[in-house]
Amino acid sequence: MIEFLNLKKINSRLSSEIEVACKRVIESGWYILGEELKNFEKDFAAYCNVKHVIGVANGLDALNLVLKAWKLQGKLKDGDGVIVPANTYIASVLAISENNLIPIFCEPDPYTFNINVTSIESVYDTRVKAILPVHLYGQICEMAEIVKFAEKNNLLILEDAAQSHGSSLNGIKAGAWGHAAGFSFYPGKNLGAMGDAGAIATNDDELADALMALRNYGSKEKYKNIYVGVNSRLDEIQAAILSVKLKYLDEDTKRRREIANRYLDEITNSFVTLPSIKGGENAHVWHLFVIKTKHRSLLQQHLQTNGISTLIHYPLPPHKQEAYAEYNTFKFPVTEEIHEQVLSIPMDPTLEKQQIDKVITAINEFKP
C-alpha cells in the first residue's frame, strides 16, 4: 500500500538528531518556556522574515489568541465581521466564533480554491473589520491585492498559514503579509511536530507582547496576571524537534515540488481536474496535492484497489456542519462543489519514483 503520508518514514530520516534534541531537553530539567522555545521562535521568525514568533499549543490557538488580543487592544469588538473562505477547514471559523465575532463567508476562486479581492469585495460591508485569508493546501493567496484592499478599508489581516510554511509571493513569505499569522505544526504539516504545536508570526511589537502574556495565563510575571489568558504554550520538547526539522524544510519543499510537477505533467485523465497555481512556483509548497473529479467515490475506490491511499480535504464545509447549524441554509455553490469533488492523492517527500509512477498510472487508467 502506498500511504497517503508516511510520518514514520519522514521522521525516521532525522531520528538521531531528534533523539539528541529530546535528550538535551530531558537532561536540562526545564520543560516549559525555556531556551529551546526561544531558539525555535528566533529561527522561525528569521525563516518567515518577521520580527516575532510566539509559540503556542496548536494552530487553532494561534488564530484564536490573535483575535483575542485584538479585542483586548480595542481593534475588534463583539459582533464584528471577519471575512473567511467558505471552503476552509473548520478551525479558521472556530477561532472567529470563539471570540464572539461573526464569520462572513466568501466563495473561493474556483481554480486555486483560495479567496481573492473579487470574492472579498462580493461580501464586504460595514460589519467587516478583518480578513482571514487561508493559504489552502500550501498555496499562498493573492496577498498583494488583498493587502491593498485591507489598507483602503482599514481592515486587519490575519493569515491562516497552517498549511503554507515557506510559500511566498513577490519574495514575501506566508506569515509576513498580514498584521499577524497563525501556523500549525500538527504532525502531518510540512513542518510538523510530534504532537500538537503552533505559532503566531507578527511584526507588531505590542501585539507580540500581549500574546506572550495571553498564552501564559495572561501573565508576564509569575503570579501576576494582567489579562484573562489561557494556557497555550509550545513545550520545550516540541520546540526542540521543530528546530531540527526546520533545517530540512526547504529540502522537503523542493522534493514536494518535484513530485507535484510530475503529477501536473503526467496525469492526463480527462475525468480529473488538476490544481491551478498563481504567483509562480514559490507560491505553492504542496502540503496537499488535491485533484477534483465528479467521480470521486469511484476514483477513490479504484485507487484503493490499486494499493494507493487517499484522503478528502474536506468532506463538509463549515457552513454545513452541525456545529454551525445557523448557517446550514447558506448556499455557496463553488464551495459545495469543491467539497463534493476534491480528492487528495499521496504527497510525501519520501515517496519513491516507482510509487509516484504507480499513482500516475492508476489515475490515468481510471474510467468511471
Side-chain angles (χ1 to χ4, degrees):
M1 176 66 71
I2 298 174
E3 294 187 42
F4 176 77
L5 184 68
N6 189 335
L7 288 178
K8 183 176 179 179
K9 189 173 181 181
I10 288 172
N11 290 323
S12 68
R13 302 170 303 164
L14 307 175
S15 59
S16 60
E17 289 186 66
I18 290 171
E19 287 169 10
V20 168
C22 292
K23 184 178 180 182
R24 185 174 64 244
V25 174
I26 293 166
E27 292 179 348
S28 75
W30 194 286
Y31 308 123
I32 299 288
L33 298 181
E35 291 302 313
E36 298 291 346
L37 177 58
K38 289 177 184 176
N39 289 336
F40 173 71
E41 289 173 335
K42 175 177 63 68
D43 290 344
F44 194 58
Y47 181 82
C48 296
N49 196 24
V50 295
K51 290 174 68 177
H52 307 282
V53 161
I54 300 95
V56 294
N58 54 68
L60 173 56
D61 280 2
L63 300 175
N64 189 14
L65 287 173
V66 172
L67 296 173
K68 184 178 180 73
W70 280 341
K71 289 186 71 179
L72 286 171
Q73 293 176 330
K75 295 180 179 181
L76 294 174
K77 65 180 186 307
D78 285 359
D80 283 344
V82 181
I83 292 176
V84 63
N87 63 312
T88 187
Y89 180 57
I90 197 170
S92 311
V93 186
L94 290 172
I96 296 169
S97 58
E98 175 68 17
N99 282 283
N100 294 318
L101 303 168
I102 307 300
I104 308 296
F105 296 106
C106 72
E107 291 271 51
D109 180 289
Y111 301 103
T112 66
F113 302 166
N114 279 340
I115 61 171
N116 54 34
V117 167
T118 301
S119 56
I120 290 169
E121 287 176 334
S122 70
V123 299
Y124 174 72
D125 60 32
T126 55
R127 294 175 298 167
V128 174
K129 302 302 177 186
I131 305 172
L132 204 161
V134 179
H135 307 315
L136 198 64
Y137 307 150
Q139 180 167 204
I140 193 169
C141 296
E142 298 173 35
M143 289 306 299
E145 292 80 7
I146 292 174
V147 168
K148 287 178 185 176
F149 181 86
E151 289 176 344
K152 177 183 176 182
N153 294 282
N154 195 30
L155 304 177
L156 296 162
I157 296 177
L158 171 55
E159 296 173 71
D160 185 335
Q163 301 183 3
S164 60
H165 318 76
S167 64
S168 67
L169 192 64
N170 303 334
I172 302 173
K173 284 186 175 174
W177 283 93
H179 299 93
F183 285 90
S184 168
F185 305 121
Y186 181 78
K189 304 298 186 187
N190 292 24
L191 179 60
M194 291 186 174
D196 275 322
I200 299 158
T202 184
N203 287 311
D204 185 330
D205 296 341
E206 290 184 9
L207 178 62
D209 187 61
L211 288 166
M212 284 189 284
L214 279 172
R215 72 174 177 186
N216 188 37
Y217 300 97
S219 173
K220 294 181 182 179
E221 182 181 349
K222 197 168 186 178
Y223 303 129
K224 294 185 178 179
N225 305 78
I226 55 177
Y227 305 122
V228 178
V230 300
N231 176 10
S232 180
R233 303 174 298 205
L234 175 56
D235 69 70
E236 290 287 280
I237 288 267
Q238 299 300 340
I241 292 169
L242 288 166
S243 290
V244 170
K245 299 182 78 173
L246 179 59
K247 296 185 293 183
Y248 300 94
L249 178 56
D250 286 345
E251 181 181 320
D252 278 358
T253 298
K254 181 182 177 183
R255 180 58 181 153
R256 286 174 179 272
R257 287 173 175 155
E258 290 170 353
I259 296 166
N261 286 335
R262 284 208 58 197
Y263 285 160
L264 291 169
D265 292 341
E266 299 177 44
I267 294 174
T268 57
N269 192 318
S270 61
F271 295 107
V272 170
T273 301
L274 297 173
S276 294
I277 309 171
K278 287 187 178 180
E281 183 184 38
N282 292 334
H284 213 316
V285 293
W286 300 104
H287 169 57
L288 300 171
F289 193 99
V290 180
I291 60 177
K292 191 164 167 270
T293 177
K294 294 178 181 178
H295 311 284
R296 180 172 69 191
S297 295
L298 290 174
L299 176 56
Q300 189 171 34
Q301 182 58 54
H302 168 77
L303 294 175
Q304 180 71 22
T305 300
N306 281 272
I308 298 165
S309 297
T310 59
L311 292 175
I312 298 171
H313 297 89
Y314 302 97
L316 280 178
H319 74 280
K320 292 297 184 182
Q321 299 285 353
E322 184 178 351
Y324 286 113
E326 65 269 36
Y327 303 124
N328 285 175
T329 58
F330 286 21
K331 302 294 182 184
F332 297 105
V334 174
T335 289
E336 288 156 25
E337 180 179 288
I338 288 170
H339 286 260
E340 290 165 3
Q341 297 185 10
V342 291
L343 184 66
S344 301
I345 63 176
M347 174 51 70
D348 178 332
T350 69
L351 281 174
E352 298 172 2
K353 180 182 182 300
Q354 63 268 28
Q355 294 176 308
I356 301 166
D357 291 342
K358 185 175 180 179
V359 173
I360 293 168
T361 298
I363 292 175
N364 285 338
E365 290 177 345
F366 170 72
K367 292 180 181 178

